[in-house]
């Protein structure tokens, strides 16, 4: 019986997003091949990060909006629409890492933003890429969204994000995703 449960396909593989439960969506955006909790070096409170450009996480976020579980106040509509338009224009060209931050006030601190822009790096194989932009968190969407170039080859094994996260204790964190685990309906998704 336990073996059957371990071999069963994941819910995102067998059911459409409209049939996912709220708990399943939460799991997909916090503990899945595309999402994880990253702790600080002294085991400070973890911060959840996920690959917002992967199709399953995009579908989960859209499903939250559709269900009204993630509201969008009028002041946030423009930034949300800008982000979705950015994703449409840059499909397949970028990787966006979403970071759920506990505080949003530090985004007015220019020195913190410069440090984040300088110190956030994506490592793929022996190649390193600095982030090319970001979308700050908003009241309706507490995620900082970091944009990186999408340059991944078939022989690459991991995506490693080395991060500086303003507003969290021990702001230097890292997250690593294994490419072989990030498959959706038989194809790589990130």
């Amino acid at each position: 019986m336990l073996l059957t449960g371990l071999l069963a396909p994941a819910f995102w593989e067998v059911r459409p997003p409209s049939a996912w439960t709220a708990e399943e969506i939460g799991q997909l955006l916090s503990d899945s091949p595309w999402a994880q909790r990253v702790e600080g070096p002294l085991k400070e409170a973890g911060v959840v990060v996920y690959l917002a450009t992967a199709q399953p996480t995009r579908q989960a976020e859209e499903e939250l909006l559709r269900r009204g579980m993630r509201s969008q106040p009028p002041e946030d509509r423009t930034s949300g629409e800008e982000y979705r338009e950015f994703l449409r224009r840059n499909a397949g060209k970028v990787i966006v890492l979403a970071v759920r931050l506990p505080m949003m006030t530090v985004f007015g601190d220019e020195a913190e933003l410069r440090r984040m822009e300088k110190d956030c790096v994506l490592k793929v194989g022996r190649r390193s890429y600095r982030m090319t932009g970001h979308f700050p968190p908003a009241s309706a969407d507490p995620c900082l969204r970091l944009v990186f170039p999408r340059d991944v080859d078939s022989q690459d094994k991991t995506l490693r994000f080395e991060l500086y996260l303003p507003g969290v204790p021990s702001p230097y964190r890292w997250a690593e995703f294994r490419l072989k685990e990030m498959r959706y309906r038989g194809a790589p998704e990130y």
Side-chain angles (χ1 to χ4, degrees):
M1 182 78 168
L2 179 60
L3 185 57
T4 304
L6 294 175
L7 297 178
F11 66 88
W12 56 79
E13 291 284 350
V14 294
R15 289 186 277 128
S18 60
W20 298 347
T21 67
E23 293 79 21
E24 288 171 332
I25 291 172
Q27 175 191 347
L28 184 58
L29 295 176
S30 63
D31 183 20
S32 71
W34 304 277
Q36 61 185 259
R37 179 175 297 278
V38 295
E39 295 179 343
L42 301 174
K43 303 295 181 198
E44 294 89 354
V47 175
V48 173
V49 300
Y50 60 91
L51 294 167
T53 41
Q55 187 173 354
T57 58
R58 285 193 329 262
Q59 290 173 332
E61 289 189 314
E62 288 299 320
E63 189 60 23
L64 288 175
L65 279 173
R66 188 188 72 76
R67 293 179 188 185
M69 297 171 76
R70 187 177 277 178
S71 63
Q72 208 156 347
E75 68 272 10
D76 288 345
R77 281 197 186 109
T78 303
S79 64
E81 289 168 8
E82 286 175 8
Y83 172 68
R84 285 191 292 282
E85 179 59 28
F86 173 82
L87 285 182
R88 279 190 289 276
R89 282 192 329 264
N90 292 285
K93 299 176 190 172
V94 297
I95 295 173
V96 176
L97 183 72
V99 183
R100 277 193 231 142
L101 291 177
M103 296 174 37
M104 295 187 300
T105 56
V106 296
F107 283 88
D109 184 336
E110 289 299 318
E112 285 289 287
L113 288 177
R114 281 193 302 277
R115 176 172 259 165
M116 178 184 75
E117 291 166 357
K118 178 181 148 294
D119 291 350
C120 285
V121 176
L122 167 61
K123 293 190 174 186
V124 184
R126 294 183 178 184
R127 303 176 310 279
S128 294
Y129 304 96
R130 292 205 183 279
M131 68 177 231
T132 58
H134 75 281
F135 291 86
S139 58
D141 181 9
C143 291
L144 165 65
R145 294 171 189 274
L146 306 173
V147 180
F148 298 91
R150 183 183 183 112
D151 184 15
V152 182
D153 297 327
S154 59
Q155 70 271 15
D156 293 324
K157 296 187 183 341
T158 61
L159 301 177
R160 180 182 170 97
F161 295 89
E162 295 181 358
L163 307 169
Y164 178 84
L165 303 175
V168 299
S170 299
Y172 287 99
R173 310 280 176 113
W174 64 271
E176 188 168 276
F177 296 90
R178 290 187 177 97
L179 291 166
K180 71 178 181 179
E181 295 172 4
M182 295 188 295
R183 298 190 69 74
Y184 179 65
R185 298 193 175 156
E189 261 306 319
Y190 43 84

